[in-house]
Amino acid sequence: MKKLLAALFVSSILLAGCGSGGDTSNSSGGASASGSGTEITAVGSTALQPLVDAAQESFTQNNPEVQISVQGGGSGTGLSQISEGAVEIGNSDVFAEEREGIDAEQLVDHRVAVIGFAPVVNQDVGVEDISKQELIDIFTGKITNWSEVGGEDQEIAVINRASGSGTRATFEKWGLDGAESIQSQEQDSSGTVKKIVAETPGAISYLALSYLDDSLQALKLDGVEANEETIATNEWPIWSYEHMYTNGEPEGKLAEFLEYMTSDEIQEGPVKELGYLPVTSMEIERDAEGNVK
């Protein structure tokens, strides 16, 4: 009986030891550990998603112990999740200071690129260039037919991004001079918007330049085309920095990955190949309040 009790006592000690292992919770700015490797989750802006996807592929090839998951959901989701400590990186097209309910002081901003946005239409509307005021009138419902701006006699179908989208916030702030779009069909994904506009007669929306191709017609505004040169000088104002926020200063492999995002390999490679602009190519700087210097 004594031997049995002694065995039970030893077993209980061993079980207690197993249950009281070291704290494996994320430290501020760190990345979660998985066995001997590291897991990093980046959530948020779908406009930034193609660039982060491309960078993580090459980074993980050289760092096979690291797993990086890149997810969309919009800038609002990215900022809320990083603020809550639910992910390692929150991707955003807007400054954290621009989003209500976000404590920007606890977040660290890593600007990894600049991205331009352009209004896009179905190729059959018969319009390539409109004024900025006409753009505002279309998205606020004052102009409802393409014939009113020199196009086909076709009803305009506005396709919007969801309210939490950084793309929408940037477009309304800089493309519509702060005006709010009319209520219309909303989509969370840039890829879905691209497909709908390409397939829907009379459709108009807006996309990051990295999503543009021959399936859509990108509109000029007052004769100005959205491209690297016009964005760099702010002649084309509908652009934003691409932010990758961390909750506190990053450490370890998380810090290495963010440094890699601003390396020449990425800035001169995928950044340009995918239609973004290197941060260093900008001739001006714009802050969260819109001040340009």
Side-chain angles (χ1 to χ4, degrees):
M1 185 66 178
K2 288 182 180 180
K3 290 182 179 180
L4 176 61
L5 290 173
L8 290 172
F9 178 72
V10 170
S11 297
S12 66
I13 291 175
L14 291 173
L15 287 171
C18 291
S20 59
D23 182 10
T24 59
S25 62
N26 238 6
S27 61
S28 177
S32 58
S34 175
S36 60
T38 298
E39 293 182 358
I40 297 172
T41 301
V43 173
S45 164
T46 57
L48 179 53
Q49 196 170 353
L51 176 59
V52 184
D53 263 329
Q56 70 84 18
E57 285 185 12
S58 52
F59 183 82
T60 53
Q61 283 178 359
N62 295 323
N63 297 271
E65 76 280 13
V66 180
Q67 296 180 34
I68 302 177
S69 172
V70 185
Q71 303 168 20
S75 297
T77 298
L79 288 171
S80 62
Q81 295 229 355
I82 190 62
S83 294
E84 295 165 3
V87 296
E88 285 71 46
I89 299 172
N91 294 331
S92 176
D93 306 325
V94 298
F95 285 92
E97 293 90 334
E98 296 182 78
R99 190 68 65 177
E100 289 186 13
I102 300 297
D103 183 4
E105 292 186 0
Q106 75 174 356
L107 303 179
V108 177
D109 184 6
H110 309 269
R111 299 183 197 178
V112 298
V114 168
I115 190 164
F117 299 91
V120 294
V121 297
N122 181 276
Q123 286 197 333
D124 296 330
V125 303
V127 174
E128 296 181 4
D129 189 352
I130 62 176
S131 70
K132 191 176 186 183
Q133 187 57 55
E134 287 172 336
L135 180 72
I136 294 170
D137 289 345
I138 288 171
F139 275 88
T140 55
K142 295 178 182 177
I143 293 177
T144 59
N145 193 293
W146 286 111
S147 63
E148 298 177 64
V149 291
E152 299 295 324
D153 182 10
Q154 192 173 59
E155 185 177 351
I156 296 173
V158 173
I159 311 297
N160 239 319
R161 296 298 302 276
S163 58
S165 163
T167 298
R168 177 171 178 169
T170 300
F171 180 75
E172 290 184 343
K173 183 173 184 177
W174 300 107
L176 305 184
D177 290 344
E180 291 187 12
S181 304
I182 57 172
Q183 288 190 348
S184 65
Q185 179 183 164
E186 294 184 353
Q187 296 293 333
D188 288 328
S189 165
S190 296
T192 303
V193 168
K194 176 181 174 180
K195 185 174 188 296
I196 290 174
V197 173
E199 297 176 355
T200 304
I204 183 172
S205 190
Y206 40 90
L207 284 169
L209 302 192
S210 52
Y211 280 88
L212 302 188
D213 60 24
D214 292 339
S215 68
L216 306 166
Q217 175 65 56
L219 295 181
K220 297 178 182 178
L221 292 181
D222 297 307
V224 178
E225 180 182 351
N227 57 40
E228 182 173 347
E229 290 75 21
T230 58
I231 291 170
T233 59
N234 204 43
E235 186 180 2
W236 181 270
I238 314 174
W239 61 269
S240 68
Y241 294 105
E242 289 293 26
H243 310 264
M244 296 178 74
Y245 281 99
T246 55
N247 199 324
E249 290 291 345
E251 302 171 354
K253 290 297 180 180
L254 177 58
E256 288 183 29
F257 178 57
L258 290 165
E259 289 174 8
Y260 182 64
M261 291 295 304
T262 56
S263 68
D264 287 343
E265 181 178 346
I266 297 301
Q267 294 293 305
E268 297 300 319
V271 166
K272 292 184 175 180
E273 293 164 6
L274 294 172
Y276 303 86
L277 281 74
V279 174
T280 54
S281 72
M282 296 299 290
E283 297 179 26
I284 56 93
E285 185 175 349
R286 196 164 69 189
D287 64 20
E289 286 73 41
N291 301 312
V292 175
K293 62 179 181 179

